[in-house]
Amino acid sequence: MPYLERITKAGMTIEVERYYSSRYRRKGLERGDRVKASREEQKKVNRNQAERKLRILMNANFGYGDYHLVLDYIRERGKEERSKEQMEKDIAVFLRECRKEYRKQGKELKYIHVMEIGSKGARHHHMVINKLDPEIVQRAWYKACEQHTRVKIFPLDDSGNYGRLAAYFIKYTDAHRTEDDGALMKKRWNCSRNLVRPVPQVRIISSRDAFRVDPTERKGYYIDKDSVSAGVVSPEYYGYGYLRYMLVKLPELGAESERRRQNGEKRDDTEKQSVPRKS
């Protein structure tokens, strides 16, 4: 029975999925029972798919030196928390001010944004943006909202793999999905229109080739072991069986090699490569 291989290149990562599909089953082969997901299982499927989409978007558009921002509000006793409408207005002003500064530098703002309700009810904005002077970021937030605390800025590492950050974003939006739950956003995240959206390459593998149940290595990349997942019964993959994993470019071939290239440096082959810490 033929199977599909879907490969998605996003920045320094390559996501690989192998799975069967009823569209390509061999004639005369009866299909097994379709896996019907329970309500909780379907929620998990939706969450996994949302994480995958956001992870690919982050990996394709952001990298070393870009920022994960947390924009906070001061909580005052006796006062109501910031409403959804107020938060939307605040972030609109913040983005407007940031765009002005990017244009002055001949750049274009890129961002991914989510609004969060903390476990104790506090409101926050989480955002990934391309690099900008922290002082400018702080001033933009001052103009957006008078009642604020400092902006928390976390530079992205050079791994190129921001899966944990994507899961972190989805965690907050997943807890409040409907208006009855107190959702702050209609979508799981908002983002600028200028982001690169990788198009996966899908190919049909002949039934003569056995389904590979182990990840395939690639020169210049390492396999992110935490990303490896395989199974036989899954509502995500039509109930037939699947394998998925991520390849991440080795650091010397990624951000470090780019730095060397820009500085005109030659690589010292005596240096050891190390697997970067996961973000």
Side-chain angles (χ1 to χ4, degrees), residues 39-40 43 84 115-119 121 123 171-185 188:
R39 184 176 181 181
E40 289 304 313
K43 285 183 178 180
K84 176 174 65 175
M115 296 194 292
E116 173 207 348
I117 303 176
S119 59
R123 268 60 168 165
K171 171 186 174 183
Y172 290 116
T173 61
D174 197 57
H176 306 281
R177 293 296 304 132
T178 67
E179 290 188 10
D180 292 339
D181 292 333
L184 293 174
M185 305 171 67
R188 288 182 182 268

Side-chain angles (χ1 to χ4, degrees), residues 248-264:
V248 183
K249 187 174 288 189
L250 289 167
E252 177 59 22
L253 300 178
E256 179 61 17
S257 64
E258 178 64 15
R259 183 191 67 79
R260 291 178 183 276
R261 185 187 67 78
Q262 292 181 0
N263 294 337

Side-chain angles (χ1 to χ4, degrees), residues 252 260 265-272:
E252 177 59 22
R260 291 178 183 276
E265 301 176 17
K266 293 184 178 180
R267 175 183 170 184
D268 181 357
D269 289 329
T270 62
E271 294 181 5
K272 294 183 179 180

Side-chain angles (χ1 to χ4, degrees), residues 5-226:
E5 182 178 67
R6 179 167 63 184
I7 297 178
T8 308
K9 294 184 179 181
M12 293 171 61
T13 67
I14 300 175
E15 301 215 8
V16 181
E17 297 170 276
R18 300 188 187 120
Y19 56 94
Y20 290 104
S21 170
S22 60
R23 292 180 59 188
Y24 302 102
R25 70 178 185 273
R26 191 169 60 238
K27 290 183 179 180
L29 179 67
E30 293 184 4
R31 177 183 177 179
D33 294 335
R34 182 176 178 83
V35 178
K36 185 177 181 180
S38 67
R39 184 176 181 181
E40 289 304 313
E41 286 175 332
Q42 190 59 50
K43 285 183 178 180
K44 184 177 180 180
V45 169
N46 295 342
R47 182 169 61 251
N48 289 342
Q49 291 178 345
E51 281 187 20
R52 176 183 176 276
K53 290 179 181 178
L54 186 55
R55 178 176 65 244
I56 289 172
L57 203 60
M58 284 187 180
N59 290 346
N61 291 277
F62 301 97
Y64 181 66
D66 292 332
Y67 296 141
H68 166 209
L69 306 180
V70 183
L71 309 178
D72 284 331
Y73 292 98
I74 290 177
R75 304 183 74 187
E76 297 184 22
R77 183 174 296 181
K79 286 192 175 183
E80 294 185 0
E81 298 290 352
R82 208 75 171 159
S83 70
K84 176 174 65 175
E85 292 74 21
Q86 289 171 322
M87 291 181 71
E88 289 173 346
K89 182 179 178 181
D90 296 339
I91 202 63
V93 174
F94 174 80
L95 291 172
R96 182 191 69 202
E97 295 301 317
C98 286
R99 286 192 185 96
K100 289 180 182 178
E101 295 299 330
Y102 276 92
R103 282 196 293 267
K104 289 178 182 178
Q105 299 179 22
K107 299 179 181 179
E108 193 174 18
L109 172 65
K110 291 185 176 182
Y111 71 87
I112 296 174
H113 164 246
V114 300
M115 296 194 292
E116 173 207 348
I117 303 176
S119 59
K120 296 183 179 180
R123 268 60 168 165
H124 310 278
H125 296 274
H126 286 271
M127 182 175 293
V128 179
I129 66 169
N130 46 336
K131 189 174 181 180
L132 187 65
D133 186 335
E135 184 178 343
I136 293 174
V137 173
Q138 185 79 60
R139 288 204 305 265
W141 185 231
Y142 281 179
K143 289 185 179 181
C145 180
E146 295 179 358
Q147 295 179 342
H148 49 254
T149 59
R150 67 185 183 277
V151 176
K152 299 173 185 175
I153 301 178
F154 305 93
L156 300 186
D157 61 28
D158 66 350
S159 70
N161 178 13
Y162 308 115
R164 290 191 177 184
L165 183 58
Y168 185 73
F169 275 34
I170 294 298
K171 171 186 174 183
Y172 290 116
T173 61
D174 197 57
H176 306 281
R177 293 296 304 132
T178 67
E179 290 188 10
D180 292 339
D181 292 333
L184 293 174
M185 305 171 67
K186 293 181 180 179
K187 299 185 292 185
R188 288 182 182 268
W189 67 84
N190 292 319
C191 62
S192 55
R193 296 180 180 179
N194 57 353
L195 297 186
V196 174
R197 298 178 183 272
V199 178
Q201 297 179 341
V202 181
R203 66 186 182 117
I204 304 171
I205 309 298
S206 169
S207 58
R208 293 189 298 271
D209 297 327
F211 186 91
R212 298 179 182 178
V213 295
D214 296 316
T216 303
E217 294 184 349
R218 182 178 294 202
K219 184 177 180 180
Y221 290 79
Y222 71 91
I223 296 171
D224 180 357
K225 294 183 179 180
D226 292 338

